[in-house]
Amino acid sequence: MKRIIQLGAIVAAFVAVGTAAWSAGDYLRIRPVLKSEFELVMNQVQQNTQAVLRITFDNLTRKREYGGLTFDEQQNLCRIAAALEYVGVPGCQ
């Protein structure tokens, strides 16, 4: 019984030290390199998504100016305008 209590105390001490080290590393931004790399990748993906939305928006706007849009294209234009937080887009509420 005494041995189980000692083993439990040792495991609890390792968990406490590990948790403290993990928290300190996270605070200092040195914990896992994967976290900062993941944040960089997610930022790049978000930038790429915004760029694709802008290009699509521009293409649909030009198409509307030169020949008109189908109903589905107009709906797509309005969804993209909302995603880009554009206001006052003709044909969109």
Side-chain angles (χ1 to χ4, degrees), residues 4-72:
I4 293 174
I5 294 173
Q6 287 176 339
L7 183 61
I10 291 170
V11 169
F14 278 124
V15 169
V17 169
T19 302
W22 189 269
S23 296
D26 192 30
Y27 178 76
L28 297 173
R29 297 189 61 84
I30 58 172
R31 182 179 38 96
V33 174
L34 294 176
K35 181 178 179 182
S36 61
E37 289 176 354
F38 179 74
E39 289 173 352
L40 291 173
V41 169
M42 290 306 297
N43 287 337
Q44 188 62 49
V45 167
Q46 186 176 11
Q47 290 174 4
N48 290 346
T49 301
Q50 292 290 318
V52 168
L53 287 175
R54 284 189 209 105
I55 290 169
T56 305
F57 180 84
D58 290 344
N59 287 339
L60 288 172
T61 302
R62 282 191 204 101
K63 185 174 181 182
R64 181 179 60 197
E65 291 172 2
Y66 292 110
L69 297 175
T70 65
F71 178 78
D72 290 335

